[in-house]
């Protein structure tokens, strides 16, 4: 296959045996240029089979309030809500324009933000609840703040990735939580190889995606494991809000903030 990000050739990297959730052996391929790794077997599944894998995996813990593969998820969401609320409070995120939690799952993060900044629109392709947006409601360039936490690693095509970025207004922001590393380990026992994770991002690949999507500067908050990507250049951000560089655990950069080695 060719890399979704840089189009270079991806070659076989390793395999992992699942024997659960309707899966057997999953083969992974690595881009020879940017190092992005793809769960090739999962990407090739027919849509109905992929939906079955997702349902079987999530139903194993859904409704319990816990996820054994991500035990700190709720604490992380609380930290992410605090960061986004603070950015709104200091005026870097507009609250008089639409926000969207894309891939919101059961809507926990959006619910935390509702009480702080107002109603957040919710969308999830696989978890449908009353009040969630439908596909026709996803208007390109309509949302000033698009939040996508624990979603990028579940996507299965470049068109799905681009559909997310297209929702952001010309001067809006994208909030992201996903795992990004300098290199993806060649290790079938790596904790992040879950049955529903399809793409594993490197700093090199993410920096290219950042540029391709037209963002200029970024913020990374360590405790929340959250990136916020801005259309504005860093110089303009710091002119408006110089305090960004003095908040402990907050890191800003022109371009993609490659925090994790």
């Amino acid at each position: 296959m060719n890399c979704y990000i840089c189009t270079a050739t991806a070659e076989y990297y390793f395999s992992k045996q699942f024997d659960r959730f309707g899966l057997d052996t999953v083969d992974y391929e690595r881009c020879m240029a940017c190092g992005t790794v793809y769960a090739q077997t999962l990407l090739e599944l027919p849509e109905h089979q992929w939906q079955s894998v997702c349902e079987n995996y999530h139903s194993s813990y859904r409704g319990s309030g816990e996820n054994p593969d991500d035990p700190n998820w709720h604490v992380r969401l609380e930290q992410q809500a605090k960061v986004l609320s603070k950015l709104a409070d200091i005026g870097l995120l507009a609250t008089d324009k639409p926000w969207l939690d894309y891939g919101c799952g059961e809507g926990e993060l959006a619910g935390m933000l509702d009480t702080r900044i107002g109603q957040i629109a919710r969308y999830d392709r696989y978890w449908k609840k009353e009040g969630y947006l439908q596909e026709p409601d996803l208007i390109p360039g309509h949302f000033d703040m698009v939040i996508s936490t624990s979603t990028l690693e579940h996507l299965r095509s470049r068109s799905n990735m681009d559909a997310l970025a297209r929702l952001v207004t010309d001067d809006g922001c994208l909030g992201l939580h996903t795992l990004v590393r300098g290199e993806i380990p060649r290790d079938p026992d790596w904790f992040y190889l879950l049955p529903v994770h399809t793409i594993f991002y490197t700093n090199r690949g993410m920096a290219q995606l950042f540029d391709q999507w037209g963002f200029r500067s970024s913020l990374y908050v360590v405790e929340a494991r959250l990136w916020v990507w801005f259309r504005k250049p860093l110089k303009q951000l710091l002119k408006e809000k110089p305090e960004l560089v003095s908040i402990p655990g907050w890191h800003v950069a022109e371009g993609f903030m490659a925090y994790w080695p």
Side-chain angles (χ1 to χ4, degrees):
M1 67 172 288
N2 286 50
C3 178
Y4 290 170
I5 298 173
C6 72
T7 74
T9 300
E11 296 185 353
Y12 175 78
Y13 201 34
F14 63 87
S15 299
K16 179 179 176 66
Q17 196 75 20
F18 280 97
D19 296 326
R20 294 182 67 194
F21 310 111
L23 293 174
D24 188 10
T25 301
V26 173
D27 295 331
Y28 295 83
E29 294 192 358
R30 178 180 179 272
C31 173
M32 302 304 292
C34 72
T36 303
V37 170
Y38 299 88
Q40 179 68 10
T41 303
L42 302 182
L43 297 176
E44 293 176 346
L45 290 178
E47 180 63 18
H48 73 277
Q49 190 174 348
W50 170 245
Q51 289 190 32
S52 177
V53 170
C54 292
E55 178 61 29
N56 288 338
Y57 174 76
H58 291 300
S59 64
S60 67
Y61 65 84
R62 184 181 296 167
S64 69
E66 299 181 359
N67 180 350
D69 291 320
D70 188 5
N72 296 317
W73 70 274
H74 202 271
V75 173
R76 185 177 65 247
L77 290 186
E78 291 175 346
Q79 293 299 324
Q80 291 169 358
K82 289 179 181 178
V83 169
L84 295 170
S85 298
K86 185 173 181 64
L87 286 170
D89 289 343
I90 65 177
L92 273 181
L93 300 181
T95 57
D96 59 344
K97 299 178 182 179
W99 284 35
L100 171 66
D101 188 351
Y102 184 99
C104 65
E106 295 189 276
E108 292 91 349
L109 179 55
M112 295 174 187
L113 289 168
D114 283 343
T115 62
R116 293 175 166 94
I117 64 171
Q119 185 69 32
I120 307 297
R122 296 153 167 83
Y123 170 77
D124 195 290
R125 185 175 184 180
Y126 298 108
W127 290 14
K128 305 295 185 182
K129 293 178 69 174
E130 184 178 355
Y132 279 24
L133 299 186
Q134 303 299 313
E135 294 285 344
D137 302 317
L138 299 177
I139 304 169
H142 180 69
F143 300 95
D144 202 63
M145 180 65 199
V146 175
I147 308 161
S148 178
T149 63
S150 302
T151 300
L152 278 184
E153 65 271 23
H154 297 268
L155 301 182
R156 297 209 302 153
S157 69
R158 177 61 194 246
S159 62
N160 289 155
M161 297 159 68
D162 289 340
L164 166 63
R166 280 197 300 268
L167 296 172
V168 183
T169 60
D170 289 341
D171 58 352
C173 302
L174 180 61
L176 293 173
H177 164 75
T178 192
L179 189 148
V180 181
R181 290 177 53 121
E183 298 290 343
I184 304 304
R186 192 173 191 171
D187 179 7
D189 295 324
W190 186 40
F191 80 100
Y192 206 57
L193 298 179
L194 300 182
V196 291
H197 285 181
T198 56
I199 308 177
F200 307 87
Y201 299 89
T202 64
N203 289 321
R204 299 189 303 284
M206 195 61 85
Q208 292 184 57
L209 196 60
F210 178 96
D211 291 339
Q212 292 165 9
W213 283 349
F215 292 95
R216 299 287 301 279
S217 59
S218 58
L219 162 71
Y220 185 73
V221 180
V222 178
E223 191 170 12
R225 302 295 194 270
L226 181 72
W227 278 273
V228 180
W229 294 1
F230 299 90
R231 302 286 194 193
K232 297 178 181 178
L234 182 60
K235 183 177 180 179
Q236 184 177 348
L237 286 181
L238 295 182
K239 182 178 180 180
E240 295 174 5
K241 303 295 174 184
E243 63 268 34
L244 276 179
V245 296
S246 61
I247 302 175
W250 289 36
H251 303 269
V252 294
E254 185 73 14
F256 173 66
M257 176 67 239
Y259 180 80
W260 297 99

